[in-house]
Amino acid sequence: MAHRIPAIDRAVDVMEALAGGPSGIRDLALRLGIPRSTVYRVLNSLEARGVVVRGDGNTYRLGPLLLRLARAVPSGFDLVALARGPMEEAARALRCTVKLSVLEGMEALVVAIAESPESYAVTTQVGRRFPLHAGAASKLLTAFAPDDLRSRLLAGPLPQRTPATLTNRAALRRALDDARTAGCATDAGEYAPGIRAVAAPVFGPDGACVAALSIPYLDGTEAMREIALRDGALRCAQAISTRLGG
């Protein structure tokens, strides 16, 4: 991402590493892949501001300033506002449309879109609803949903949208299990002919999946391009999850 300050990025990397428990300079340098001298300077600055505290054996842990800052964070979060930056960055980098969907009853609801800079890219509209058994975002949301919702979906009708739509309950159950295990879901033209997609989960502070970040693309896209889109979706979803505290 352009217009960033590397020193701040490294300071946040150090704080995130210390969130796992106290560590020394050598261990942090190895884990983060940055020079020990850099870690030392970052820790000195953070210690001076109360962000970290030095303990026994020259180990460091997170400090009291973070507690005060955490108490100032408003409860709840604006999912769309926090997702906007990573989505727009991904749309520019991947040159494709990026969309964000959430569970709304027994449907997937599109709540945000970052448009592709390409004039001929696949797109959709905020407010569109999709069935939970057809499409990458839909299947991903269902895969990470509570057991009772999955049970209701699998017990109900599964209308066929295209020849690729999963209308067999056993096949759909396997697809949902695979999506949860892999941490992503794909769409082989299940909702609209000729339109494929890949989706990745966005996690909230409590570790639950709160949204699906998906990228639609045309059938016939080269395999290497599909891999790049999948990796881009995973990175974007992780960036949003980090903003949410997930």
Side-chain angles (χ1 to χ4, degrees), residues 121-200:
V122 179
T123 188
T124 186
Q125 296 84 35
V126 170
R128 283 202 64 183
R129 296 173 180 270
F130 295 87
L132 291 182
H133 70 293
S138 297
K139 289 188 299 183
L140 188 98
L141 289 169
T142 308
F144 284 91
D147 291 340
D148 63 327
L149 185 143
R150 281 200 304 277
S151 297
R152 278 187 288 152
L153 172 67
L154 291 167
L158 303 174
Q160 186 158 22
R161 297 277 315 186
T162 74
T165 305
L166 295 177
T167 57
N168 178 279
R169 286 173 174 75
L172 178 58
R173 186 179 292 108
R174 286 193 299 271
L176 297 177
D177 290 343
D178 289 346
R180 190 177 181 94
T181 299
C184 64
T186 57
D187 172 5
E190 298 157 15
Y191 183 80
I195 305 297
R196 292 176 172 261
V198 61

Side-chain angles (χ1 to χ4, degrees), residues 198-217:
V198 61
V202 174
F203 297 105
D206 62 354
C209 176
V210 297
L213 186 288
S214 61
I215 298 175
Y217 57 93

